[in-house]
Amino acid sequence: MNKILVSSYEQLSDTAAEEVVNQLTKKPDSVLALATGSTPKGMYEKLIERYHEGKVDFGQAYTVNLDEYQGLPAEHLQSYHYYMKKQLFDEVNIASDHIYIPNGLAEDARQECQAYDSLIERLNGIDLMVLGIGRNGHIAFNEPAAWFDCNTHLVRLSESTIQANQRFFSEGEEVPKYAYTMGMKAVMGAKQVLLLAGADKHNILKDALYGRITSALPASILQLHPNLVVICEEKAE
Ligand code: F6R
């Protein structure tokens, strides 16, 4: 594990963006697995800046998002389709047919999950996966459970995740209870994993990186990843 300690969110975002830029410079047609939520927002801003400065080109890149709420259409303001469009895709030169996000409105959930795993295989796996970490230790939407789920699956979000994500939804609007998420096979199969943790993730990050490896704390599996880079704010350490 390579741990990079940074002193501010600004620096976290900058360092993370630089990792993505390096990846795309090395391999312009990289497959990037991308997270949503608060943590990577700054990284996306920095990537857009670097794109405008001519320092990065998304022209050949592919993106596969980690997860999506079940039941939300792509245009819904809280869907991860919409988030990605606003935070990155509308601002850079990524080809629309190189963008993949689970379809929250899929009629057949099993088929959607299988198709997503086949897609990852067809793309020859993920070159760089960007992860945040939930307060309960989830990565993507792999929630604490009795076992590690291998493949893309439909998951019932834990009450703590629903509560944590309520902040993004307007008053009276319910957070969906289910979401599609990549499983641990995609996470552990990614050639490099970049885990981002702001100061608010201090306790859970410590347990995930140095505690017991257990499906009760899904991020702990990352201890076994051969190419893990953790970028965390000093206070998260
Ligand atoms: C989002 C995702 C989640 C978030 C996690 C942390 O695509 O996969 O695992 O990374 O819930 O969210 P924030 O960054 O909002 O604290």
Side-chain angles (χ1 to χ4, degrees), residues 136-137 143-146 148 214-218 220:
N136 63 1
E143 295 280 30
F148 288 113
T214 163
S215 55
L217 200 171
S220 63

Side-chain angles (χ1 to χ4, degrees), residues 1 30 57 70 77 85 103 119 127 141-142 144 155 167 198 224-225 236:
M1 165 173 64
S30 289
D57 180 16
Q70 189 195 33
L77 299 192
K85 193 172 142 58
N103 174 8
L119 162 80
D127 292 300
F141 273 141
N142 290 273
V155 63
R167 71 190 194 280
L224 300 176
H225 196 284

Side-chain angles (χ1 to χ4, degrees), residues 122-154:
R122 263 205 321 282
L123 293 171
N124 287 320
I126 292 157
D127 292 300
L128 177 65
M129 174 177 282
V130 180
L131 290 176
I133 178 170
R135 282 170 193 281
N136 63 1
H138 70 231
I139 45 176
F141 273 141
N142 290 273
E143 295 280 30
W147 60 83
F148 288 113
D149 255 304
C150 243
N151 297 318
T152 298
H153 55 285
L154 190 63

Side-chain angles (χ1 to χ4, degrees), residues 34-40 65-67 80 131-135 138-141 161 165 167-168 181 200-201:
L34 297 177
T36 57
S38 302
T39 312
N65 264 77
L66 302 172
D67 37 28
Y80 290 162
L131 290 176
I133 178 170
R135 282 170 193 281
H138 70 231
I139 45 176
F141 273 141
T161 301
N165 289 3
R167 71 190 194 280
F168 298 113
T181 180
D200 55 326
K201 302 291 170 52

Side-chain angles (χ1 to χ4, degrees), residues 62-73:
Y62 292 84
T63 62
V64 282
N65 264 77
L66 302 172
D67 37 28
E68 177 59 289
Y69 289 117
Q70 189 195 33
L72 296 193

